[in-house]
Amino acid sequence: MTIPLRVLIVEDSVDDTDLLLRELRLGGYEPTHERVETPEAMNAALDQQMWDIVFGDYSMPHFNGMAALKLLRERGLDLPFIFISGTIGEDTAVASMKAGANDYVIKGNLKRLLPAVDRELKEAAVRREHRQAEETIRYLAYYDPLTGLPNRTSLLDRLHLAITEGSGQKKSVALLLMDLDHFKEVNDTLGHHRGDILLQQVGSRLRAVLRPSDLVARLGGDEFAVLLPLASSQHAAQVAQKILEALEPPFMIDGLPVAVEAGVGIAVCPDHGTNPNSLMQRADVAMYAAKQTGSGYIVYDTHYDRHSPRRLSLIGELRQAIERDQLFLHFQPKIDLKTRRVIGVEALVRWRHPEHGFVPPDQFIEPAEQTGLIKPLTLWIFNAARREGLMWQQAGIHLSMSVNLSARNLHDPHFPDQISEILQTTGGKPDELELEITESAIMNDPARALEAITRLRAMGIRFAIDDFGIGYSSLAYLKRLPVDAIKIDKSFVINMIENQNDAVIVRSTIDLAHNLGLKVIAEGVEKQDIWDRLSALGCDAAQGYYMSRPMPAEELTRWLSDSPYGLNCRAV
Ligand code: C2E
Ligand code: MG
Ligand code: MG
């Protein structure tokens, strides 16, 4: 039995080509071949068909094997490449392997040819299988296999991207969430198989009414989402109307007509939220309201919040979560831009809900603020952060610990005393503590904020203004506040390389803050070029995914010993 083999030969000698083909035939292969002598001919041959293997003569007058190999790899083709050469020294052999050749064979000694070909073809097949497996995994990570539509992960990725692009162009982005009515009944009465067919058909109808640049995703169950990049809420409402009309004609499933109704909720960035989680949550609230009222679609408005069952039950459950140890902290390092040392960590609360899984803080901090639950929550966080900080201190790790406060904490007259009590019971030095407050928390009631900050500062606690730049306070106002540092909001930092406006805001914030004697921390440092730019601008410290994501305490201890950003021996 012979094995067909498609062979591309980069070679100027016809005789040598014949010798090579003869050897392959002797080994049981049935080669079809093309011989090329120039880059143009090689490119044309690669365009024309698929090849199994490429042989290259090491030295030819106008074109050589190295250049052929380079050309092949530049085209991203992972075909075995074997050098065939009249003479090849050790050095050349090593150089060719380094350049990505799979093997080399000397023309005068073709004995090594067949074993090399057998081996390389086998290995190429293994690599191909690997690639296919990886593609499948990637596909499953980003697509819903039932409908072939992007899944929740894709949607969140694209939403993140659309928000960033939209804010750069000062345009809004719309998110529509849609849930079918009575889908469970379809499943129960007609069976899961027909339910699946219905979902597939709904997916196709959605796709058919939308533009190619719009994203349609299936989030699971009977929930779908549509992302309209650069769309206003009016445009989103028109699209929602079109979707509802498209769903009106009954679906034919195994010859049976099935009628489907749906509720659509719309949330728009920046009006209703500026990050993927808050937009999803708001669109969900609007969708629930649409379903409750049977009004087809609804654009989010704060007054629908009160009716959101998810929100109401979350608040009830958050109360229990505090008692039942479902909350825990992650810590994200802050790194000094000059010394590249870790100077502190920010404690960020996490909630692992027994049914909903991970609930991001964006979803429960705000309701907790509105209901007053933020008071016990912050005390719990403060206590937990303090205990962790002291454990590190005992292990000789001195890190400044930052905890986020909300406006409610700052305006609570008991708060400073409660903090003082925790400090006394836990012991340790308070100057390793920093509290982060947002501008809007201060501007809510500046006189009371000032009083609370002054009392807490008298205990040795330092303060930083969080999310600086998105609120209304001016740096001139900050001058009157006894704070130590400001954190530039990540929305400016993330885009500062591409967006000139953001770059100017970052630069002037750094300069003015330094004039006022404040330290500046940039949050949202996601890439090396942002780190470099901030460093050149004289920013003091940075925090962001480029260096590290927030992580659990045990992981942080490991990270501190392994990362290039060693530890500062003294707290700053
Ligand atoms: P924040 O205080 O400004 O915290 C920084 C947020 O940015 C964190 O999100 C963090 O994970 C995220 N982040 C860090 N580096 C990067 C980056 O390079 N790129 C991007 N895109 N994001 C980055 P997280 O933990 O989801 O917290 C969100 C917000 O929720 C916090 O913003 C804070 O306002 C609030 N929050 C979190 N934990 C607490 C807490 O313990 N108490 C209070 N009151 N609020 C909290
Ligand atoms: Mg913060
Ligand atoms: Mg922040």
Side-chain angles (χ1 to χ4, degrees):
M1 207 184 65
T2 53
I3 306 163
L5 191 67
R6 295 162 299 185
V7 187
L8 182 60
I9 305 174
V10 186
E11 170 68 87
D12 54 347
S13 149
V14 179
D15 290 346
D16 287 351
T17 304
D18 286 345
L19 280 175
L20 181 69
L21 293 171
R22 200 180 65 190
E23 193 68 19
L24 288 171
R25 280 191 204 100
L26 281 175
Y29 290 102
E30 191 187 317
T32 47
H33 84 284
E34 185 168 339
R35 186 178 62 83
V36 292
E37 287 184 52
T38 63
E40 295 75 29
M42 180 168 172
N43 265 321
L46 290 170
D47 285 340
Q48 210 167 22
Q49 69 161 86
M50 304 268 281
W51 299 95
D52 297 312
I53 194 162
V54 184
F55 294 99
D57 185 0
Y58 197 80
S59 45
M60 293 190 315
H62 307 297
F63 187 33
N64 63 46
M66 275 297 204
L69 174 60
K70 194 157 163 263
L71 188 154
L72 186 72
R73 298 298 181 232
E74 273 170 7
R75 291 182 59 132
L77 290 173
D78 179 24
L79 291 176
F81 186 103
I82 297 182
F83 273 120
I84 305 285
S85 173
T87 51
I88 191 161
E90 280 296 314
D91 292 350
T92 336
V94 170
S96 65
M97 302 301 267
K98 271 198 185 141
N102 297 80
D103 208 343
Y104 68 92
V105 173
I106 312 261
K107 279 183 181 171
N109 179 13
L110 284 181
K111 270 205 306 287
R112 284 191 61 245
L113 182 76
L114 286 170
V117 170
D118 291 346
R119 186 192 63 235
E120 290 311 325
L121 287 175
K122 253 191 229 118
E123 283 183 8
V126 170
R127 284 199 299 276
R128 209 163 31 242
E129 264 170 37
H130 250 162
R131 264 199 308 276
Q132 273 158 3
E134 272 169 13
E135 263 162 38
T136 315
I137 292 168
R138 207 168 319 141
Y139 179 82
L140 290 177
Y142 288 99
Y143 288 88
D144 162 44
L146 177 68
T147 56
L149 294 175
N151 64 9
R152 182 183 292 270
T153 311
S154 301
L155 174 76
L156 289 174
D157 275 8
R158 283 280 303 275
L159 189 55
H160 183 80
L161 206 74
I163 291 172
T164 314
E165 281 171 2
S167 74
Q169 300 178 30
K170 302 268 174 289
K171 296 251 175 64
S172 54
V173 172
L175 173 69
L176 285 69
L177 287 189
M178 181 182 93
D179 191 282
L180 306 182
D181 294 339
H182 318 299
F183 176 70
K184 191 173 171 309
E185 284 159 42
V186 175
N187 250 346
D188 291 349
T189 50
L190 301 178
H192 281 274
H193 170 64
R194 295 202 178 94
D196 284 354
I197 298 178
L198 176 64
L199 292 173
Q200 286 168 339
Q201 294 192 9
V202 169
S204 330
R205 286 202 196 171
L206 287 178
R207 249 315 5 142
V209 292
L210 293 160
R211 297 191 200 140
S213 56
D214 303 334
L215 179 87
V216 182
R218 176 171 172 239
L219 305 182
D222 57 350
E223 227 190 329
F224 292 84
V226 174
L227 168 66
L228 308 172
L230 310 183
S232 62
S233 60
Q234 289 88 330
H235 177 66
Q238 283 164 9
V239 172
Q241 188 59 43
K242 265 206 308 203
I243 289 175
L244 293 169
E245 280 162 18
L247 298 179
E248 261 168 32
F251 290 82
M252 290 308 286
I253 294 174
D254 285 349
L256 285 174
V258 177
V260 158
E261 282 178 18
V264 179
I266 302 173
V268 174
C269 168
D271 298 0
H272 307 136
T274 50
N275 66 53
N277 282 327
S278 60
L279 275 184
M280 290 287 280
Q281 192 246 336
R282 308 260 139 105
D284 190 65
V285 166
M287 178 180 80
Y288 181 79
K291 289 182 68 129
Q292 284 292 296
T293 55
S295 46
Y297 71 86
I298 277 185
V299 179
Y300 172 81
D301 186 282
T302 44
H303 76 263
Y304 295 117
D305 274 337
R306 265 175 290 131
H307 310 296
S308 157
R310 168 107 196 253
R311 177 173 179 273
L312 290 178
S313 69
L314 267 190
I315 292 167
E317 288 163 351
L318 184 58
R319 219 177 285 276
Q320 296 178 351
I322 303 175
E323 291 153 15
R324 295 186 186 168
D325 265 358
Q326 290 167 13
L327 298 180
F328 55 98
L329 295 179
H330 273 182
F331 299 91
Q332 188 179 33
K334 296 183 186 177
I335 291 149
D336 186 303
L337 277 155
K338 282 192 205 77
T339 63
R340 298 179 147 263
R341 303 268 140 190
V342 179
I343 52 172
V345 293
E346 175 174 6
L348 293 157
V349 68
R350 300 289 180 255
W351 179 9
R352 192 162 317 282
H353 189 285
E355 285 148 44
H356 305 315
F358 178 73
V359 186
D362 284 338
Q363 276 185 27
F364 63 88
I365 293 290
E366 203 184 291
E369 279 171 354
Q370 285 162 10
T371 53
L373 206 59
I374 191 74
K375 291 180 187 173
L377 181 62
T378 303
L379 291 178
W380 183 92
I381 294 165
F382 192 86
N383 225 321
R386 188 79 191 126
R387 263 182 283 136
E388 202 57 61
L390 286 174
M391 292 218 301
W392 286 330
Q393 272 183 29
Q394 276 157 17
I397 302 172
H398 292 274
L399 288 173
S400 132
M401 173 74 76
S402 302
V403 173
N404 293 282
L405 291 193
S406 93
R408 278 294 262 272
N409 298 128
L410 220 49
H411 302 158
D412 173 5
H414 306 295
F415 184 69
D417 293 334
Q418 288 166 332
I419 292 296
S420 156
E421 209 179 298
I422 296 178
L423 287 180
Q424 272 163 21
T425 38
T426 49
K429 284 186 291 175
D431 64 349
E432 288 177 356
L433 274 172
E434 185 175 76
L435 294 176
E436 296 188 2
I437 39 174
T438 61
E439 293 170 79
S440 52
I442 299 169
M443 298 312 282
N444 251 343
D445 189 345
R448 278 169 80 175
L450 183 64
E451 191 191 322
I453 295 175
T454 311
R455 282 180 62 195
L456 287 160
R457 250 186 137 237
M459 298 175 202
I461 297 174
R462 287 170 303 120
F463 274 85
I465 308 284
D466 204 352
D467 301 347
F468 188 81
I470 58 172
Y472 303 101
S473 63
S474 63
L475 272 168
Y477 179 80
L478 288 187
K479 201 168 145 185
R480 307 195 350 235
L481 277 179
V483 299
D484 307 85
I486 63 170
K487 296 183 76 176
I488 309 181
D489 190 65
K490 53 180 174 288
S491 61
F492 304 109
V493 177
I494 284 172
N495 295 327
M496 65 181 282
I497 302 292
E498 300 83 24
N499 185 320
Q500 199 45 38
N501 251 344
D502 290 350
V504 169
I505 292 172
V506 171
R507 202 196 24 229
S508 47
T509 308
I510 294 173
D511 290 348
L512 283 166
H514 281 167
N515 280 336
L516 296 175
L518 301 175
K519 291 247 180 256
V520 186
I521 301 160
E523 38 170 60
V525 177
E526 293 187 350
K527 290 189 225 110
Q528 158 112 44
D529 51 3
I530 300 179
W531 167 287
D532 293 341
R533 183 72 65 86
L534 288 166
S535 182
L537 291 175
C539 185
D540 301 287
Q543 189 179 343
Y545 296 168
Y546 170 58
M547 295 81 76
S548 164
R549 291 194 174 242
M551 56 198 151
E554 324 75 76
E555 218 174 287
L556 182 88
T557 337
R558 238 174 298 137
W559 184 89
L560 285 171
S561 54
D562 296 347
S563 84
Y565 311 98
L567 201 57
N568 204 2
C569 306
R570 281 202 38 222
V572 174

